[in-house]
Protein backbone atom coordinates (compact mmCIF):
# COMPACT_ATOMS: atom_id res chain seq x y z
CA UNK A 1 0.00 0.00 0.00
CA UNK A 2 1.32 3.43 -0.96
CA UNK A 3 -0.24 6.64 0.35
CA UNK A 4 -1.34 9.12 -2.30
CA UNK A 5 0.13 12.56 -1.78
CA UNK A 6 -2.36 15.37 -2.20
CA UNK A 7 0.34 17.84 -3.27
CA UNK A 8 3.57 17.42 -5.12
CA UNK A 9 6.70 18.99 -3.75
CA UNK A 10 8.24 21.89 -5.66
CA UNK A 11 10.99 19.65 -7.06
CA UNK A 12 8.38 17.25 -8.41
CA UNK A 13 6.63 19.74 -10.69
CA UNK A 14 6.62 18.45 -14.22
CA UNK A 15 8.67 20.57 -16.59
CA UNK A 16 8.39 20.39 -20.36
CA UNK A 17 8.41 22.66 -23.37
CA UNK A 18 5.45 25.04 -23.11
CA UNK A 19 4.12 27.30 -25.87
CA UNK A 20 3.98 30.80 -24.39
CA UNK A 21 1.12 32.01 -26.59
CA UNK A 22 -1.06 29.12 -25.36
CA UNK A 23 -0.33 30.05 -21.74
CA UNK A 24 -1.23 33.70 -22.37
CA UNK A 25 -4.42 32.73 -24.23
CA UNK A 26 -5.48 30.38 -21.40
CA UNK A 27 -4.94 33.11 -18.79
CA UNK A 28 -6.88 35.63 -20.90
CA UNK A 29 -9.80 33.17 -21.19
CA UNK A 30 -9.92 32.87 -17.38
CA UNK A 31 -10.13 36.65 -17.14
CA UNK A 32 -12.36 37.41 -20.14
CA UNK A 33 -14.91 39.37 -18.09
CA UNK A 34 -12.16 41.60 -16.69
CA UNK A 35 -10.88 42.82 -20.04
CA UNK A 36 -13.22 42.14 -22.98
CA UNK A 37 -14.42 45.48 -24.39
CA UNK A 38 -12.39 47.31 -21.71
CA UNK A 39 -8.72 46.68 -22.46
CA UNK A 40 -6.96 46.36 -25.79
CA UNK A 41 -4.63 43.36 -25.58
CA UNK A 42 -1.78 43.50 -28.10
CA UNK A 43 -0.06 40.15 -28.64
CA UNK A 44 3.40 40.63 -30.15
CA UNK A 45 4.75 37.19 -29.20
CA UNK A 46 6.58 35.13 -31.82
CA UNK A 47 4.31 32.35 -33.07
CA UNK A 48 6.72 29.56 -32.05
CA UNK A 49 7.95 30.93 -28.71
CA UNK A 50 8.35 28.20 -26.08
CA UNK A 51 9.97 27.96 -22.65
CA UNK A 52 10.71 25.05 -20.35
CA UNK A 53 8.21 25.00 -17.52
CA UNK A 54 5.05 23.72 -15.96
CA UNK A 55 2.07 24.92 -17.99
CA UNK A 56 -0.37 25.06 -15.06
CA UNK A 57 2.02 27.05 -12.89
CA UNK A 58 2.80 29.45 -15.74
CA UNK A 59 -0.92 30.01 -16.37
CA UNK A 60 -1.20 30.85 -12.65
CA UNK A 61 1.58 33.45 -13.01
CA UNK A 62 -0.08 35.00 -16.05
CA UNK A 63 -3.52 35.08 -14.42
CA UNK A 64 -2.06 36.95 -11.43
CA UNK A 65 -0.13 39.45 -13.57
CA UNK A 66 -2.98 40.04 -16.01
CA UNK A 67 -5.56 40.47 -13.24
CA UNK A 68 -3.33 43.06 -11.55
CA UNK A 69 -2.83 44.88 -14.86
CA UNK A 70 -6.57 44.93 -15.62
CA UNK A 71 -7.34 46.15 -12.09
CA UNK A 72 -4.76 48.94 -12.43
CA UNK A 73 -5.96 49.93 -15.90
CA UNK A 74 -9.48 50.27 -14.49
CA UNK A 75 -8.28 52.97 -12.09
CA UNK A 76 -6.78 55.30 -14.72
CA UNK A 77 -8.72 57.95 -16.63
CA UNK A 78 -7.60 57.83 -20.27
CA UNK A 79 -7.80 61.03 -22.31
CA UNK A 80 -7.19 62.27 -25.87
CA UNK A 81 -8.20 58.99 -27.50
CA UNK A 82 -5.73 56.93 -25.43
CA UNK A 83 -7.08 53.51 -24.58
CA UNK A 84 -6.36 51.01 -21.80
CA UNK A 85 -3.78 48.73 -23.41
CA UNK A 86 -1.79 45.69 -22.37
CA UNK A 87 1.09 44.64 -24.61
CA UNK A 88 2.61 41.15 -24.42
CA UNK A 89 5.95 40.77 -26.17
CA UNK A 90 9.24 38.90 -26.12
CA UNK A 91 12.85 39.95 -25.89
CA UNK A 92 16.10 38.17 -25.20
CA UNK A 93 19.33 38.74 -23.36
CA UNK A 94 22.25 36.29 -23.58
CA UNK A 95 21.12 33.11 -21.83
CA UNK A 96 17.59 34.36 -21.17
CA UNK A 97 14.22 34.36 -22.90
CA UNK A 98 12.03 37.17 -21.52
CA UNK A 99 8.26 37.45 -21.75
CA UNK A 100 7.05 40.99 -20.99
CA UNK A 101 3.63 42.32 -20.02
CA UNK A 102 3.41 46.10 -20.27
CA UNK A 103 0.32 48.16 -19.52
CA UNK A 104 -0.28 51.88 -19.89
CA UNK A 105 -1.97 52.17 -16.51
CA UNK A 106 -1.12 54.31 -13.50
CA UNK A 107 2.21 52.60 -12.81
CA UNK A 108 3.92 52.09 -9.46
CA UNK A 109 6.16 54.35 -7.45
CA UNK A 110 9.58 53.24 -6.17
CA UNK A 111 8.37 52.29 -2.66
CA UNK A 112 5.60 50.11 -4.12
CA UNK A 113 8.05 48.39 -6.48
CA UNK A 114 10.41 47.67 -3.57
CA UNK A 115 7.63 45.81 -1.69
CA UNK A 116 5.72 44.39 -4.67
CA UNK A 117 6.87 40.77 -4.19
CA UNK A 118 6.55 40.74 -0.38
CA UNK A 119 3.87 38.35 0.91
CA UNK A 120 0.69 40.15 2.01
CA UNK A 121 1.71 43.50 0.50
CA UNK A 122 -1.14 45.02 -1.51
CA UNK A 123 -2.17 48.42 -2.78
CA UNK A 124 -5.74 47.25 -3.29
CA UNK A 125 -8.53 48.26 -0.96
CA UNK A 126 -9.66 45.87 1.76
CA UNK A 127 -11.53 42.91 0.33
CA UNK A 128 -10.04 43.28 -3.17
CA UNK A 129 -6.81 41.35 -2.67
CA UNK A 130 -4.67 39.81 0.06
CA UNK A 131 -1.27 40.53 -1.40
CA UNK A 132 -0.13 37.03 -2.26
CA UNK A 133 -0.33 37.07 -6.06
CA UNK A 134 3.05 38.61 -6.83
CA UNK A 135 4.89 36.69 -4.11
CA UNK A 136 3.46 33.47 -5.58
CA UNK A 137 4.57 34.58 -9.07
CA UNK A 138 8.06 35.21 -7.67
CA UNK A 139 8.15 31.75 -6.10
CA UNK A 140 6.92 30.01 -9.26
CA UNK A 141 9.51 31.78 -11.42
CA UNK A 142 12.23 30.71 -8.95
CA UNK A 143 10.99 27.10 -9.25
CA UNK A 144 11.52 27.47 -13.01
CA UNK A 145 15.10 28.68 -12.52
CA UNK A 146 13.98 32.11 -13.65
CA UNK A 147 13.17 35.54 -12.33
CA UNK A 148 10.42 38.12 -12.36
CA UNK A 149 11.17 41.81 -12.47
CA UNK A 150 9.11 44.99 -12.61
CA UNK A 151 9.81 48.43 -14.03
CA UNK A 152 7.39 51.31 -13.98
CA UNK A 153 6.91 55.02 -14.37
CA UNK A 154 4.08 56.60 -12.41
CA UNK A 155 1.28 57.74 -14.71
CA UNK A 156 2.83 56.08 -17.77
CA UNK A 157 3.32 52.31 -17.57
CA UNK A 158 4.07 49.19 -15.59
CA UNK A 159 6.00 46.27 -17.05
CA UNK A 160 6.58 42.81 -15.64
CA UNK A 161 9.34 40.72 -17.20
CA UNK A 162 9.31 36.93 -16.80
CA UNK A 163 12.86 35.74 -17.37
CA UNK A 164 13.38 32.12 -18.34
CA UNK A 165 16.82 30.52 -18.68
CA UNK A 166 17.49 29.37 -22.23
CA UNK A 167 18.40 25.75 -22.71
CA UNK A 168 22.10 25.26 -23.38
Amino acid sequence: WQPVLARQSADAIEMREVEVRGVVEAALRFLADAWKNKVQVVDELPEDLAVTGNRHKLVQVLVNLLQNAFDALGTKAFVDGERATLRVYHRTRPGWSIVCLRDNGPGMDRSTIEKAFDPFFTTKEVGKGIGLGLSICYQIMAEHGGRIDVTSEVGKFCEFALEFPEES
Side-chain angles (χ1 to χ4, degrees):
W1 177 80
Q2 290 287 349
V4 176
L5 298 177
R7 285 185 46 162
Q8 292 181 322
S9 70
D11 347 45
I13 67 171
E14 187 178 331
M15 301 288 212
R16 60 175 51 158
E17 188 171 278
V18 177
E19 292 180 17
V20 175
R21 176 167 277 133
V23 169
V24 172
E25 288 171 353
L28 286 170
R29 279 193 303 276
F30 276 118
L31 300 170
D33 289 344
W35 70 274
K36 286 283 190 192
N37 304 317
K38 299 173 195 155
V39 177
Q40 175 182 347
V41 176
V42 179
D43 177 352
E44 298 175 355
L45 293 172
E47 202 62 45
D48 60 348
L49 180 62
V51 296
T52 299
N54 178 284
R55 186 177 196 282
H56 300 294
K57 295 254 187 188
L58 294 179
V59 168
Q60 184 179 0
V61 168
L62 268 288
V63 165
N64 275 311
L65 294 178
L66 291 168
Q67 182 67 64
N68 286 349
F70 298 147
D71 289 348
L73 287 164
T75 68
K76 182 176 177 179
F78 292 93
V79 294
D80 298 328
E82 187 182 22
R83 188 167 172 210
T85 304
L86 177 87
R87 186 173 151 234
V88 184
Y89 69 99
H90 177 253
R91 61 187 167 88
T92 60
R93 169 171 96 236
W96 296 92
S97 180
I98 305 166
V99 176
C100 300
L101 291 88
R102 183 181 182 111
D103 68 58
N104 64 339
M108 289 191 263
D109 62 27
R110 168 108 359 249
S111 66
T112 302
I113 289 171
E114 288 171 359
K115 295 181 254 175
F117 299 107
D118 292 353
F120 304 108
F121 174 76
T122 184
T123 59
K124 295 179 182 177
E125 59 188 73
V126 174
K128 299 287 185 192
I130 58 172
L132 288 176
L134 290 178
S135 66
I136 289 169
C137 291
Y138 185 93
Q139 183 177 17
I140 291 171
M141 288 305 296
E143 289 172 3
H144 283 72
R147 299 189 288 247
I148 183 171
D149 193 25
V150 61
T151 54
S152 184
E153 187 176 332
V154 174
K156 305 258 185 194
F157 76 92
C158 185
E159 179 175 293
F160 281 87
L162 302 174
E163 303 179 17
F164 296 90
E166 289 182 339
E167 298 297 307
S168 26

